[in-house]
Amino acid sequence: MIDTSRLALLASPTDRARDAANALADCTDWVPLDEASAVVVLGGDGYLLDVLHQMLDQERVLPVYGLNLGTVGFLMNRHRGCEGLARRVAKAKPMQVCPLRMTAIDQDGVAHHSCAINEVSLLRETRQTAKIEISVNDKVRIPELAGDGVLLATPVGSTAYNLSAHGPILPLDSQMLALTPISPFRPRRWRGAILPDRSRVTFRIREPAKRPVMVVADQKEFRDVAEVHVEIARDKEMTLLFDPGHALDERIVAEQFVV
């Protein structure tokens, strides 16, 4: 149960979001983030992901209620002004989601760690085609994928970059991950896989000096990687709040019928 007397307000640096924040300033007695029980976020999907990542980095993850003042707003609720805002937050449907935990080892042997709420994607850095070995639970499944890259997406991220790469849309409660190649050249007929979310996926770069590859965990980028390990971070569970009838699980189902 959300204590709506302790809500914090965060707004993206766009003029539209700042204007909305000014209009909501007297809507309730907003509290500082470190005193809040939940956060109202004004902006788009990208800014909401930024907020979630900041909370993950600070190891204090609060329920988030997003109001769309961006473009797509897939993870957001409709902005309707001040009236009834606290009531909407109190009645919102909670959705628990877990990010991916990524460990990337670069060509110098240095390990880099990050979490991804949407996806971890490996991308070629130059004109040279990337060549990537893919293992699932320490078993090699694709000895050599040649193409622009590959990504591993959560159900939340399955309608983002994964969908643009022709990957499958995953229901939020599917407990699955989407493994999707990006512009694959070889193997020609492999179009990806749907994996249980308990899977640990390892990517090893072939000919990394000649065919450099970078990895991107949502917005965090690491270049010249040699191998990447990805699995669900169950200890980093987050809560997104949605208006009844507009919850993320319904949106994921509806997105499959958009033509």
Side-chain angles (χ1 to χ4, degrees):
M1 188 71 178
I2 302 297
D3 181 358
T4 56
S5 68
R6 296 191 297 119
L7 297 177
L9 181 66
L10 297 176
S12 74
T14 65
D15 290 341
R16 188 181 176 198
R18 286 174 174 172
D19 289 344
N22 290 333
L24 294 177
D26 298 325
C27 184
T28 188
D29 293 326
W30 303 104
V31 301
L33 188 60
D34 59 0
E35 299 176 13
S37 64
V39 185
V40 175
V41 175
L42 305 178
D45 291 336
Y47 181 66
L48 185 137
L49 289 176
D50 285 342
V51 170
L52 291 173
H53 275 289
Q54 290 171 21
M55 291 195 293
L56 283 172
D57 292 342
Q58 295 166 7
E59 297 185 347
R60 186 170 185 265
V61 181
L62 301 173
V64 173
Y65 182 82
L67 291 174
N68 187 28
L69 289 155
T71 305
V72 178
F74 190 79
L75 301 176
M76 316 296 281
N77 299 284
R78 183 178 299 174
H79 179 49
R80 297 174 182 167
C82 179
E83 185 176 357
L85 178 57
R87 184 171 62 253
R88 289 175 66 188
V89 175
K91 293 183 176 180
K93 179 179 179 180
M95 289 285 172
Q96 278 70 44
V97 297
C98 291
L100 296 167
R101 177 183 286 111
M102 181 208 73
T103 299
I105 302 171
D106 65 25
Q107 294 182 41
D108 294 323
V110 178
H112 306 273
H113 306 279
S114 187
C115 285
I117 299 160
N118 274 356
E119 76 280 315
V120 170
S121 53
L122 285 80
L123 304 163
R124 64 186 176 101
E125 294 181 19
T126 68
R127 62 182 178 82
Q128 292 279 2
T129 298
K131 291 187 176 181
I132 303 170
E133 177 192 279
I134 303 173
S135 299
V136 180
N137 299 328
D138 299 320
K139 182 175 183 178
V140 175
R141 292 294 185 177
I142 300 289
E144 185 176 280
L145 170 68
D148 283 354
V150 63
L151 65 84
L152 187 69
T154 65
V156 171
S158 68
T159 56
Y161 189 11
N162 173 70
L163 182 59
S164 298
H166 307 292
I169 294 176
L170 303 176
L172 190 63
D173 60 355
S174 65
Q175 298 183 318
M176 295 291 179
L177 301 172
L179 178 63
T180 303
I182 303 169
S183 300
F185 180 68
R186 290 282 191 276
R188 275 205 193 280
R189 293 181 176 81
W190 188 66
R191 290 296 178 263
I194 297 175
L195 305 174
D197 68 0
R198 62 182 179 274
S199 303
R200 175 180 167 85
V201 182
T202 298
F203 305 96
R204 291 188 174 86
I205 312 307
R206 294 186 171 276
E207 303 176 53
K210 179 182 179 182
R211 305 172 184 274
V213 170
M214 64 179 175
V215 64
V216 184
D218 286 346
Q219 301 99 330
K220 293 185 180 180
E221 176 184 306
F222 305 96
R223 301 181 73 84
D224 299 332
V225 297
E227 60 184 72
V228 178
H229 306 275
V230 189
E231 61 186 341
I232 282 285
R234 301 194 186 279
D235 58 325
K236 303 287 186 181
E237 185 178 80
M238 298 169 290
T239 300
L240 303 180
L241 301 172
F242 295 97
D243 291 331
H246 297 278
L248 185 57
D249 52 353
E250 166 58 25
R251 295 185 188 189
I252 287 175
V253 171
E255 188 70 22
Q256 299 176 77
F257 295 92
V258 173
V259 294

